[in-house]
Every structure is written in structure tokens, then in C-alpha cells.
Amino acid sequence: MHADAVMTAGLHALLAEHGAFHLTLQDRQPHGQAHARVIIADYDSGIMLARQLSPDRSSAAPRVLIVTQLDKEWQVRTAMDSGVHGYLLQGCSAEELVRAVQQLGQGMRYLAEAVTRCVADSLSRESLTGRETDVLLLLARGCCNKSIARELGIGVGTVKTHVKGLMSKLDATARTHAVVVAAQRGLIGSGTRLPAPLPGRQPRPAAAMQ
């Protein structure tokens, strides 16, 4: 059920070559999937399915295996927290694909080695608070402490406390280093949404922020 037609064809061919599986191609909808032991899907479809398919008293729900190129910490954690059972990266070998499907079919979980390291590392670190994340996003935009304080409606001293906290959690040595580490971990990126202005506040013109 992968969204990418080429990926669907490739996955189907690799599993069919193994000869131990009964394979079907399905549209990306959760209904009508109760007969499947394992569903292989793209990232978005896999999360949707994992959230909507749940075991009832008489039978186990299909187990969801995501095959994707998304490997950021927050992406993996989101999938796992949504109930996804397996996570493979698109560069995996045919042998690993078969092994993952077999393990899910036996009721186990499977995470690619790189994904396992990612999850283990994330579990060993403290998570940023919501306000620390807001401050981090504004740091990434190049805002100084005073600008951040105005944007969030908090004191400069409070901003400094949040900056100190997030730098400690990211094990960063400087503000710019914190932004780099956050980007590497996938906590911020080009598509990251910046904090909304406080109610009643009008966004400042771009020229005023330069």
C-alpha cells in the first residue's frame, strides 16, 4: 500500500521472489485490511493505518510496516507512538525487507538498525519543553533575546533561562550550535512552523525584523 507506485512495484517484486508470502495490492484505506497479517505502507499512510486499525477481542489487527526515506528522530518517534510495528529505510536490502515482514507476521516488531540507534539516542535525552521549542525556532530565525521576548510576550530573563535549558538538553556549546544540532536531529527544518504571535499582536513587517 505504498504511495509511491515504483516503491510498491519494487516491494511486491522483492517479496514475490522470496515465494513465502501471499501478496495483494491495496489502495491506501484502512477498511478491508483485516485479513492481512502485515501491511507495508509509506510514512503517512502507515501512521494513518496504525492509528485506525486496532485489535478486537476475536482477532489481531494487521501489523504495519513503514518503508520510507524519513529518518529524523521526531519522525521515527511519531511513527512508533502512533502504533507502527516496523520501520525500514528505503535503502534496505531485500534480505532485511523479508526479515522485517517475517518478524511482524510472527507478532514481533522490527526497526532498521539506524532507526534503532536513533530511537535509543532520543530516549536517553531529555525532551525540549514547548516553550524551549518556541525559543529554539526563533533562534533559528536569527532573533536576539529581546526579539524573542517580544515575540513570545515573556521577559528577557525568562528567554535566557529557556536558551540555557535547551542548550543543555541539546549538548550545544553556543546558540548557533544549538540550531545546527536541532536541525541534525530533525527538530527544526525548512518546513517547521514558527510560533504564532500572541493574541492581539500583529506580526511585525519583515523589514522591521532585519
Side-chain angles (χ1 to χ4, degrees):
M1 293 174 59
H2 204 284
D4 186 323
V6 174
M7 281 296 300
T8 297
L11 292 166
H12 189 279
L14 290 172
L15 293 171
E17 190 174 291
H18 187 264
F21 306 114
H22 174 67
L23 305 171
T24 59
L25 297 177
Q26 303 286 342
D27 60 14
R28 301 194 310 280
Q29 297 297 327
H31 59 269
Q33 304 302 327
H35 65 281
R37 295 286 296 277
V38 178
I39 296 176
I40 305 175
D42 56 279
Y43 185 84
D44 291 335
S45 300
I47 288 180
M48 178 193 72
L49 288 163
R51 288 172 174 169
Q52 296 187 26
L53 291 169
S54 58
D56 57 35
R57 294 181 179 180
S58 60
S59 64
R63 299 179 74 78
V64 179
L65 171 63
I66 284 179
V67 181
T68 180
Q69 60 185 352
L70 304 178
D71 61 355
K72 297 297 185 183
E73 175 185 314
W74 69 270
Q75 294 165 330
V76 178
R77 287 295 300 274
T78 296
M80 295 297 99
D81 292 343
S82 298
V84 169
H85 306 93
Y87 203 104
L88 280 180
L89 300 180
Q90 288 182 188
C92 71
S93 66
E95 291 77 15
E96 186 174 24
L97 172 65
V98 169
R99 185 163 62 250
V101 173
Q102 289 174 330
Q103 289 197 15
L104 264 67
Q106 295 168 3
M108 296 183 285
R109 294 180 178 272
Y110 189 92
L111 297 180
E113 183 179 348
V115 171
T116 301
R117 289 196 301 268
C118 174
V119 173
D121 288 345
S122 70
L123 290 174
S124 68
R125 292 189 291 255
E126 286 187 85
S127 298
L128 299 183
T129 66
R131 185 54 86 195
E132 285 171 345
T133 300
D134 289 344
V135 171
L136 174 63
L137 295 175
L138 291 168
L139 282 178
R141 201 170 69 177
C143 294
C144 64
N145 287 349
K146 288 184 179 180
S147 297
I148 294 173
R150 286 197 302 269
E151 283 286 334
L152 300 179
I154 57 180
V156 174
T158 302
V159 172
K160 291 180 179 179
T161 298
H162 290 315
V163 170
K164 182 178 180 180
L166 69 88
M167 286 179 59
S168 175
K169 291 178 180 179
L170 294 175
D171 196 23
T173 55
R175 296 157 69 99
T176 52
H177 185 207
V179 173
V180 170
V181 172
Q184 290 174 339
R185 287 176 52 184
L187 301 178
I188 58 175
S190 58
T192 306
R193 186 180 273 182
L194 291 169
L198 292 174
R201 289 172 58 92
Q202 295 298 319
R204 289 174 292 163
M209 293 160 47
Q210 295 176 353

